[in-house]
Structures are given as structure tokens and as C-alpha cells.
Amino acid sequence: GTITSDVTLKAGTTYKLSGEYIVEAGATLNIEAGVKIISVYDDIVDYILIKQGAKINAMGTANAPIVMTSEKEEPGAWGGIHICGKAHTNAEGGKGSSEIGGADDADNSGKLQYVRVEYTGYAFDEEHEANGITFYGVGSGTIVDHCQAYKGSDDGFEFFGGSVNVSNMVVVSCSDDSFDWTEGWNGKGTDLVAYQEPKATLGYDCDCLIEADNNENDNAASPISHPTLKNLILAGNGESKQGIRLRRGTQVHIDNAKVCGKGQPLAIESALTNSALKNGTSLLANMTISAELTTDGDYTNADFIAATGNKVDAALSYASFDAIKAECDWMNGNWVK
């Protein structure tokens, strides 16, 4: 249903989610540590929607995370979390299809801390599936850290514009992209991990580890997507697809990243994305990739190697998710699956 005043889900309690749960402007959905939400598996799509002017304060801990899952433990079982803010987008008219976006880049949609979403990706139709958590024009006043998306059938975390900053984010075996941005996202992402289990044991292929756009319909749309990302470990499932796919005019600053397990660990596409890297508007530094980058423009593998700390190392690999966890002390506790 719909809430128009504050609601609190109490610590240590298990709740069932049936259908849509919409938080209207002026209301706050508070979720305490240790809460478990199980979506009912039936013909009705289950999802949580935080509208513009509403808030979600989901505040778990490392050993008492908030877990949102489904009765049917399979990818695509439910519709995830959707948060709509008042920060910018570069979609036509400054708003996206969900009536999001605005002029307040410091907008505050609440807090998400130590939250795990499992088995998301419900298909609304042939063209649209639900991500784990989707950020529509979410502002930098929103706090997002220590969140995991696990085995969804669409993206793990997707950003449609906005300036929200995220840290300590983990995506495991989501079949579409692990991280995805478009429509002008310019926030910061620190300590980001994506791991895709091999297709032979997972049972399905996965797409990109990061898929990054500015705007599909207008690659030059302003404000331009230009997030700053630091400390990334991205390990693919051994197939031929892209690891980090920078395209459609996006800009980016990446510092300290390891990318492996994909046939194209770093792919540069579109004239504007290439030129931003070539002229220094975008920066890639201290990156190790497991094969030479692919490009359709004038930013080459030689340019990549010439930048600070970058290298190609065909031996780079991670045999398991545990091997990644061993390098990330911020994953301590039981919040990561």
C-alpha cells in the first residue's frame, strides 16, 4: 500500500512484502537493524518506492544487516528498491520516466547502511526489469554505504542522474550489469566490488561489471555523467563481454582499480567518451586490467599505459569471492553474502 506518515519496522522482526509499498512525500520509512523483509512470490510485483520528498532510513549493522529477499530464492523474484530524489538529471526536460529530478543536488532521501537485497530483477515487461536498488536523481544529502545486491536478474545498482555518493558497495552474480549509470550521475563511489560466479556453476551469463552512459539519446546532454570512483575490484565470469564499458559520452575519474575475468576488461566507445579521455577531462589511473583495452576511437591502449600507474596483467584473476573479501577488511561481519 501507501504510507503518508512515518512507519518503523522493528529490529529483529521478519515482515512480508506483498505488492507495491510506496512512501509518499513527507513520510519516512524507518527500518531497524536485523529486519528481514520477504517478498511474497505470486503474480503481483513486489517493490518499495521512495518518492520525491520522502525518505528511507534503513540502518543495519555489520552483524545485524537489513535483508530484503523473496520466498522464491531465484533471480527476478521481486522488484527491489526505487528511490526518487530532487537532484539533476540530463533526461529530456530534466526529468526521467519516473518523474524524478530537479535542481537540488544536495537533496536528502535518507540513509541506506548495511542493506542486502537478494533475487531482484522482476520483469515489468520485455523492456524493463527492476534493479537491486535504483537511484533516480538522488542527491548528495543521502547516505549510502555497505549495501549488497545478490543474484538479481537485472543490474545490481543503477544511477539515473543525481549526485548521490556511495561507498562499500558489493554486487554478486547479477545477470545484467553490476553497476550502471546514465543521465548525468556525478557522485562519488568508493570501495566498490563486483563478482560474477562462472557461468558453468552459476547457470547463466552476466553482462558488464560497469556499464556507463551519459545519455543514450543525446551523448552530449548536460550535466554530463562524471562520477569519481576509487578502490574497485571487479571480477567477471570468464565470458567475452566487457568489464568496464564506458560509452555514450560518459566521463569518469577512476583511481585504483583491478578488472579481470572478462574478454574486454576495459572498453571505450563513442567519440565523446574517447575524446574526454584523450584530452584529460576523464582520468584513468592506477588501474590493472587483464587484457588490452578495446576502443572505437582515438584513445588507445598506449594512452592508457602512459597514464599514472596503469598496466595490463594477463595473470590478474580472482579464483573466488572469498579471495576478493580477503583484500577488503570493510566486508567484515555477516552483511555480505
Side-chain angles (χ1 to χ4, degrees):
T2 299
I3 65 170
T4 56
S5 58
D6 296 357
V7 170
T8 298
L9 305 185
K10 293 295 185 180
T13 306
T14 298
Y15 295 85
K16 288 289 184 71
L17 174 65
S18 178
E20 61 187 20
Y21 196 76
I22 299 173
V23 185
E24 294 284 355
T28 298
L29 174 61
N30 299 296
I31 308 176
E32 296 181 347
V35 164
K36 188 172 187 179
I37 298 174
I38 303 174
S39 68
V40 176
Y41 188 77
D42 54 22
D43 293 332
I44 303 171
V45 59
D46 309 318
Y47 63 92
I48 295 173
L49 170 62
I50 313 301
K51 286 192 171 183
Q52 283 188 324
K55 291 183 180 180
I56 179 171
N57 287 329
M59 300 171 65
T61 67
N63 290 307
I66 293 162
V67 178
M68 302 185 187
T69 188
S70 173
E71 288 179 339
K72 187 173 185 180
E73 295 183 346
E74 293 183 4
W78 72 290
I81 304 173
H82 305 258
I83 304 175
C84 300
K86 298 179 181 179
H88 74 273
T89 83
N90 65 29
E92 184 177 356
K95 292 182 179 290
S97 59
S98 297
E99 291 303 313
I100 54 90
D104 183 5
D105 276 1
D107 187 37
N108 180 359
S109 295
K111 297 180 181 179
L112 291 168
Q113 297 178 299
Y114 294 101
V115 175
R116 183 169 73 243
V117 292
E118 305 175 348
Y119 311 114
T120 57
Y122 184 93
F124 293 98
D125 55 44
E126 292 183 0
E127 298 292 328
H128 300 92
E129 294 179 324
N131 306 303
I133 303 177
T134 310
F135 301 91
Y136 302 92
V138 175
S140 62
T142 309
I143 294 173
V144 182
D145 63 78
H146 297 89
C147 294
Q148 182 186 16
Y150 178 82
K151 288 191 176 179
S153 65
D154 200 50
D155 302 330
F157 304 108
E158 183 162 11
F159 304 84
F160 290 89
S163 298
V164 63
N165 303 316
V166 300
S167 64
N168 310 101
M169 308 290 280
V170 182
V171 182
V172 171
S173 296
C174 286
S175 64
D176 199 0
D177 309 311
S178 299
F179 298 92
D180 193 332
W181 72 74
T182 187
E183 295 181 5
W185 181 49
N186 62 9
K188 298 177 181 178
T190 306
D191 293 316
L192 308 181
V193 164
Y195 173 77
Q196 299 171 343
E197 184 182 338
K199 181 180 178 180
T201 55
L202 185 61
Y204 55 83
D205 193 9
C206 298
D207 207 348
C208 302
L209 297 159
I210 291 178
E211 186 173 82
D213 299 343
N214 180 43
N215 185 295
E216 178 179 2
N217 299 314
D218 178 3
N219 289 183
S222 181
I224 296 171
S225 296
H226 194 142
T228 299
L229 311 180
K230 188 172 184 178
N231 303 336
L232 283 63
I233 300 178
L234 309 174
N237 61 342
E239 300 297 312
S240 62
K241 295 177 181 177
Q242 301 92 343
I244 298 178
R245 187 181 192 185
L246 303 176
R247 64 179 189 173
R248 293 174 175 169
T250 193
Q251 300 171 4
V252 72
H253 182 176
I254 300 176
D255 182 11
N256 187 26
K258 298 178 182 178
V259 190
C260 62
K262 288 291 191 182
Q264 304 172 68
L266 178 58
I268 313 300
E269 303 174 18
S270 81
L272 290 175
T273 296
N274 271 274
S275 64
L277 284 162
K278 192 76 173 179
N279 66 29
T281 302
S282 291
L283 298 172
L284 304 176
N286 301 307
M287 293 181 62
T288 302
I289 57 178
S290 57
E292 290 192 5
L293 69 80
T294 58
T295 182
D296 64 4
D298 56 359
Y299 182 80
T300 66
N301 192 73
D303 293 322
F304 173 77
I305 295 299
T308 302
N310 290 342
K311 62 182 178 179
V312 175
D313 180 1
L316 177 65
S317 67
Y318 288 91
S320 67
F321 182 57
D322 285 340
I324 295 177
K325 287 182 70 176
E327 293 188 19
C328 303
D329 56 7
W330 52 267
M331 283 198 214
N332 292 340
N334 63 13
W335 66 278
V336 170
K337 186 173 181 178

